[in-house]
Amino acid sequence: METLSLAAARGKALWALLLATLGSAAGQPLGGDSGCMARPLAKYSVTFTGKWSQTAFPKQYPLFRPPAQWSSLLGAAHSSDYSMWRKDQYVSNGLRDFVERGEAWALMKEIEAAGEKLQSVHEVFSAPAVPSGTGQTSTELEAHSRHSLVSFVVRIVPSPDWFVGIDSLDLCDGDHWREQVAVDLYPYDAGTDSGFTFSSPNFATIPQDTVTEITSSSPSHPANSFYYPRLKALPPIARVTLVRLRQNPRAFVPPAPDLVDRGNEIMDSLSVPETPLDCEVSLWSSWGLCGGPCGKLGAKSRTRYIRVQPANHGTPCPELEEEAECVPDNCV
């Protein structure tokens, strides 16, 4: 099967046109030492499923300008000589542009350079954006026995520099290709922007930090959009499923998945976790003036307001007004 050269992507300025023309490196790849003994080529379907719902992630859930959504998926089938991103390491300039602003050109040039100079990239693949927090997008990829690792990134929109993805997933298992792989995805911070919330203004992290996983307690700041101290772990915010496609002389058809696995997958997609969100209130205001007749006890009050409404059976809000006895001042 003929493949397009990575170099063919050069010079195409439009992102949509660029995604439509991405392909694998021409000729037999030379890089990589994965030890894969499977047949040289394997093709997979890739399905990305967003699980970013207001029920699962009620805190500061983006409803407008813009609403919760996912960027295009951008990935590569590669050898161990190439790394798109890695936890506890610094991201490249191209990946920074992608996760902060959704600009993919610099990242594409980095992947292309790795394919041409190091011959460590076999194919680049992409999938369309998902216009809501929940939904699916899909594509196909071709892996080679010397380029059996798969990496990809999807930007969380809106966010400062948050993303989900996979780093160097090996589709080869010794002498055969893996038939199906499903991975739950959790949010990561690229370490280039210091915002705490989905809609935080751009505030560069200086010096740049490394990639870290965002958890229910880290960053441990109440303003963090993913801060759910009652949870031991966040529910998965997305999932990716890769299924090997089989080729025969007549057609290209996916294998029939095991009925039990398929049933579990359907039930999993239907179940939506309800993350409890506790009420958050402001600090008390100052006490008001003491009211009442001179020579007798009067009353004063103070108030506070709701900062975060409770959701999914979270702790309800306390009283927002409080009164106390006092002696009126400045009686005439």
Side-chain angles (χ1 to χ4, degrees), residues 88-99:
D88 300 326
Q89 293 189 10
Y90 297 102
V91 300
S92 65
N93 291 334
L95 190 58
R96 178 197 62 204
D97 290 349
F98 185 78
V99 297

Side-chain angles (χ1 to χ4, degrees), residues 13-31:
L14 296 177
W15 170 232
L17 181 59
L18 178 65
L19 293 181
T21 57
L22 298 178
S24 60
Q28 289 298 321
L30 300 177

Side-chain angles (χ1 to χ4, degrees), residues 32 54 61 79 113 115 144 148 158 178-179 187 273 284 296 325:
Q54 189 173 11
Y61 188 81
S79 70
H144 189 274
S148 60
R178 301 169 73 174
E179 294 298 326
W284 286 109
K296 296 184 179 180
E325 292 183 340

